[in-house]
Amino acid sequence: MMRLKGTNFISILLTSHCMQTSSFIPLLTYCHRGATIRMPFSTRSKYSIIHSSRNILPLERPPDPSSKHSNDATEAALQLRNWMQNKKAILCLTGAGMSTESGIPDYRGHKGSYFNGHKPIVHHEFMTSESARKRYWARSIVGYSPFANAKPNAGHVALASLEEKGFIGVQVTHDNYKKTISTITQNVDILHSKGGMNHVLHLHGKGNIVRCMECGITKDRTEYHDELLEWNQQWIDRISQRSVKDTDDSELRPDGDAELQIDSYDEFTLPGCKTCGESDVIKTDVVFFGDSIPRDRVDLANAAVDAADGLLCIGTSLAVHSAFRLAKRAVQNGVPVAILNVGKTRAEKEQLDVKKIESPIGETLVELVKILESTESNVYKSKLV
């Protein structure tokens, strides 16, 4: 995130296809189909409650990954290579730390939003409160675009290379058909797929899809955003004239949210479902806090863990139970677990028998690919002799 000394505001130029940083002015500039929209913008949270369990993970800020040196990454990659030896069915489990190098914030990392008091929306609140839904979607118009435009980082590409070369991946039988899974991700940003991976299980859903909670129809999120902008043009024009209060920070949120300094969202309009015409409860197709992961997805994740002979957790604190239980399941199955993450994880707090490696994720995975490719090449050459 670029920052200008002496100012407390950031102006971002957003389009449906690209994102670039423009001059710093006291309004967020959002360009959509040739129209320029300026909206009061702040990410200074009004909440003081941290939405995490204090008995799951200490509220202590992890080290900055950039403070680690390149030799740390090389040594970490060698440790991972040694851990991977003689394993033929390694499954990866990734978290928000996988995407921070792509500019997507996380919750519990060094710059995690929980340390700024961020409280993500809860499923029950979204489903039962129209005002909560209006607030969510109004802020999402601004906050989601950087996520939609984020690019895969070196770690995503390296992991895709490991999948392609067969270093990671398990075979499972689910609902009477065989399926390959190389990575289970908690992330909803689909950057693994953008980075070239073909066998990803999105444990918490995909943020680029929206679903009508009445009829179940799904569609691309950008299509729904177009509808929101069309239905709320006057509201957007009106609030764009308001001044912005002084803020101390200007960061986006991990869930595609951005705090607008607006007292009320009552006049914001939510388009109804065009398919059933019965509901205006349109929700991103992700598992919000307080919701449950679909049973068939849980079963598939469990089957993948059971088929693995090694579980590699990357960029996750394992604080969320849906991820922690997979690591715990592997340990209970006698499957070796390794964790590549900067900062303490729930596995350590719960004293699980895991191999912990602290190192920057992208750089370490890139080094790991190089080492494995070199080893593979040397083995091939020795067979020719």
Side-chain angles (χ1 to χ4, degrees):
M1 178 69 70
M2 294 184 64
R3 203 177 291 269
L4 184 64
K5 186 176 182 180
T7 185
N8 294 318
F9 305 104
I10 186 167
S11 173
I12 304 173
L13 179 64
L14 306 174
T15 70
S16 56
H17 300 292
C18 65
M19 187 185 88
Q20 65 184 37
T21 303
S22 64
S23 59
F24 285 79
I25 55 177
L27 292 174
L28 187 143
T29 303
Y30 179 89
C31 291
H32 179 75
R33 294 184 174 179
T36 300
I37 303 166
R38 289 183 173 84
M39 307 179 74
F41 174 64
S42 165
T43 53
R44 179 79 172 171
S45 177
K46 298 177 181 178
Y47 300 98
S48 60
I49 299 174
I50 295 181
H51 190 71
S52 65
S53 174
R54 292 176 181 269
N55 58 14
I56 286 178
L57 192 68
L59 295 179
E60 55 187 39
R61 193 181 297 273
D64 185 351
S66 64
S67 65
K68 304 290 183 179
H69 301 294
S70 57
N71 58 333
D72 295 330
T74 301
E75 174 60 28
L78 287 170
Q79 291 183 51
L80 280 176
R81 189 276 308 270
N82 294 336
W83 178 84
M84 293 175 69
Q85 284 184 339
N86 302 320
K87 294 181 177 65
K88 298 181 180 180
I90 295 174
L91 176 69
C92 294
L93 173 62
T94 66
M98 189 80 207
S99 296
T100 53
E101 292 176 31
S102 292
I104 296 181
D106 60 8
Y107 289 107
R108 301 173 182 85
H110 178 70
K111 297 180 179 180
S113 67
Y114 279 170
F115 296 105
N116 294 324
H118 175 210
K119 178 185 177 184
I121 193 166
V122 179
H123 179 77
H124 176 76
E125 178 187 12
F126 184 91
M127 295 299 298
T128 59
S129 170
E130 183 182 36
S131 62
R133 292 194 295 274
K134 287 183 176 183
R135 178 178 178 273
Y136 175 87
W137 283 116
R139 293 153 62 106
S140 180
I141 287 177
V142 173
Y144 177 67
S145 290
F147 293 79
N149 298 316
K151 305 298 182 184
N153 59 55
H156 292 113
V157 176
L159 209 58
S161 178
L162 294 178
E163 178 193 80
E164 180 185 13
K165 297 178 183 300
F167 290 113
I168 59 174
V170 300
Q171 299 290 324
V172 299
T173 300
H174 184 67
D175 289 342
N176 296 320
Y177 68 91
K178 292 184 178 180
K179 185 178 182 66
T180 300
I181 298 176
S182 64
T183 298
I184 299 173
T185 186
Q186 303 169 70
N187 302 338
V188 299
D189 52 40
I190 69 170
L191 287 179
H192 281 305
S193 298
K194 288 183 178 180
M197 297 196 81
N198 297 311
H199 305 294
V200 182
L201 175 60
H202 291 86
L203 190 64
H204 296 151
K206 299 179 181 180
N208 64 325
I209 298 172
V210 298
R211 177 184 298 273
C212 171
M213 301 306 288
E214 180 66 29
C215 68
I217 193 72
T218 61
K219 61 182 176 183
D220 190 274
R221 181 166 178 167
T222 56
E223 183 180 340
Y224 186 61
H225 275 228
D226 288 344
E227 294 176 29
L228 288 169
L229 290 169
E230 180 181 352
W231 280 56
N232 293 282
Q233 190 60 57
Q234 290 184 353
W235 180 85
I236 292 170
D237 291 341
R238 187 162 57 252
I239 68 166
S240 67
Q241 305 303 317
R242 301 181 183 179
S243 61
V244 181
K245 300 176 183 178
D246 190 29
T247 61
D248 294 328
D249 209 345
S250 45
E251 297 178 355
L252 297 171
R253 300 285 180 75
D255 47 9
D257 182 26
E259 184 169 340
L260 305 178
Q261 292 194 346
I262 300 170
D263 295 330
S264 173
Y265 297 89
D266 291 343
E267 296 181 22
F268 191 82
T269 303
L270 297 176
C273 177
K274 292 182 177 179
T275 301
C276 68
E278 298 292 331
S279 174
D280 67 354
V281 184
I282 309 297
K283 177 180 172 291
T284 52
D285 199 25
V286 304
V287 180
F288 282 173
F289 284 80
D291 193 10
S292 299
I293 300 172
R295 184 71 249 176
D296 63 334
R297 204 180 298 164
V298 172
D299 292 341
L300 188 55
N302 287 338
V305 171
D306 293 345
D309 61 7
L311 178 66
L312 175 56
C313 304
I314 306 172
T316 174
S317 65
L318 298 174
V320 177
H321 181 67
S322 57
F324 175 73
R325 63 177 178 75
L326 295 176
K328 186 176 181 179
R329 184 185 185 95
V331 171
Q332 291 174 337
N333 289 348
V335 173
V337 175
I339 300 176
L340 173 62
N341 189 66
V342 176
K344 194 172 184 178
T345 73
R346 186 176 177 181
E348 295 152 89
K349 182 174 176 60
E350 299 286 341
Q351 298 183 335
L352 295 186
D353 183 15
V354 300
K355 179 177 181 59
K356 175 67 181 302
I357 300 173
E358 294 237 357
S359 183
I361 291 167
E363 190 177 355
T364 302
L365 291 178
V366 169
E367 288 298 314
L368 176 63
V369 170
K370 291 178 181 178
I371 291 170
L372 290 174
E373 287 179 340
S374 175
T375 302
E376 192 177 50
S377 176
N378 290 336
V379 170
Y380 176 74
K381 289 178 181 178
S382 67
K383 290 180 179 179
L384 296 178
V385 176

